[in-house]
Amino acid sequence: MTALPGWPATLAEGPVGLRPHRIRDARAWSDVRLANEEWLARWEPTSMRPWADRHRVSDYYELYRSLRRGVRLGQIMPFVVTYEDQFVGQLTLGNIVRGAFCSAYAGYWVDGRLAGHGIIPTALAMAVDFSFAHAALHRIEVNIRPENTSSRRVVEKLGFRQEGFHPRYLHIDGGWRDHVGYALTVEDVAPAGLLARWRAARSDRPTGADSEQSSR
């Protein structure tokens, strides 16, 4: 068994896709991040650098190297989120722990101009199914700020279980922020998988009812 069973992986459901990062994603990553400061900045880890200074094309190359190091160490599975084959966000299964735990944390963000298209719920459902069926994980956790109602709706409509409240959990947007903890285990989605659950849920929802946001 490799450090990351099943990796690299490319997944798709309709117009939504997940794939590994590419070096040539630099311009698209920079353009999307720069266009989404108002949408994303309040949910991002604290930084002393202004938004524009840390989202230049050249900054992507260090991110890319960091992601590749994490993959080699078996610590992360980082995906680009695509919509109609265009770069629109990122979803990472990180802090992977093997042994008796076999768990990871999911983090994600999407271009706010495409919010409401069900992109992140679809992407997260695909990533969870992949992690359980191919990557030998047993549990996926997501931690979200209580006031981030859009992101909380993503996990709640997918059936993630709310398991706890974490005071002053992460330093986000200039301060230590509380987070709500959600989780799923493989038993929760067996035998059909999470994507099948999401397909069924979407068939009962009116068009445009989906909402999504960064996970923090």
Side-chain angles (χ1 to χ4, degrees):
M1 180 177 293
T2 64
L4 291 174
W7 187 264
T10 299
L11 313 170
E13 171 73 6
V16 180
L18 290 174
R19 62 164 174 81
H21 290 70
R22 302 167 181 163
I23 195 70
R24 62 180 180 273
D25 289 326
R27 172 57 65 185
W29 172 85
S30 178
D31 289 347
V32 173
R33 294 289 292 181
L34 289 173
N36 278 270
E37 179 177 4
E38 184 176 353
W39 173 250
L40 295 175
R42 66 188 184 277
W43 312 115
E44 294 282 322
T46 302
S47 174
M48 299 302 293
R49 297 172 63 197
W51 188 266
D53 285 354
R54 64 182 193 270
H55 292 104
R56 298 168 299 185
V57 170
S58 58
D59 291 297
Y60 176 80
Y61 302 120
E62 177 54 37
L63 170 66
Y64 181 76
R65 289 190 290 269
S66 176
L67 294 175
R68 285 177 62 86
R69 285 194 297 270
V71 168
R72 287 195 300 271
L73 293 171
Q75 297 172 341
I76 60 172
M77 289 184 285
F79 291 99
V80 166
V81 180
T82 63
Y83 186 74
E84 297 180 343
D85 295 323
Q86 300 300 307
F87 187 116
V88 298
Q90 294 172 268
L91 188 154
T92 300
L93 299 173
N95 292 336
I96 295 172
V97 178
R98 297 291 181 179
F101 198 32
C102 283
S103 180
Y105 291 90
Y108 49 80
W109 64 267
V110 69
D111 187 336
R113 296 168 293 187
L114 291 169
H117 288 68
I119 296 170
I120 286 298
T122 302
L124 183 56
M126 288 194 291
V128 168
D129 282 351
F130 169 77
S131 72
F132 290 160
H134 302 287
L137 293 179
H138 176 253
R139 175 184 173 88
I140 301 295
E141 300 183 35
V142 183
N143 292 295
I144 304 169
R145 287 173 58 180
E147 62 270 34
N148 192 344
T149 55
S150 295
S151 190
R152 293 182 69 179
R153 280 196 293 270
V154 168
V155 295
E156 288 169 358
K157 63 194 173 189
L158 286 174
F160 275 75
R161 189 174 46 251
Q162 183 175 329
E163 292 193 336
F165 181 79
H166 312 306
R168 299 171 296 281
Y169 183 68
L170 290 173
H171 206 276
I172 302 290
D173 191 33
W176 290 103
R177 310 298 183 184
D178 299 340
H179 282 65
V180 179
Y182 293 86
L184 273 179
T185 65
V186 66
E187 293 87 356
D188 294 321
V189 299
L194 190 56
L195 187 58
R197 177 190 292 178
W198 172 233
R199 289 186 189 123
R202 290 202 81 183
S203 68
D204 295 332
R205 295 176 65 84
T207 301
D210 301 325
S211 183
E212 45 209 301
Q213 180 59 278
S214 169
S215 62
R216 298 182 182 89

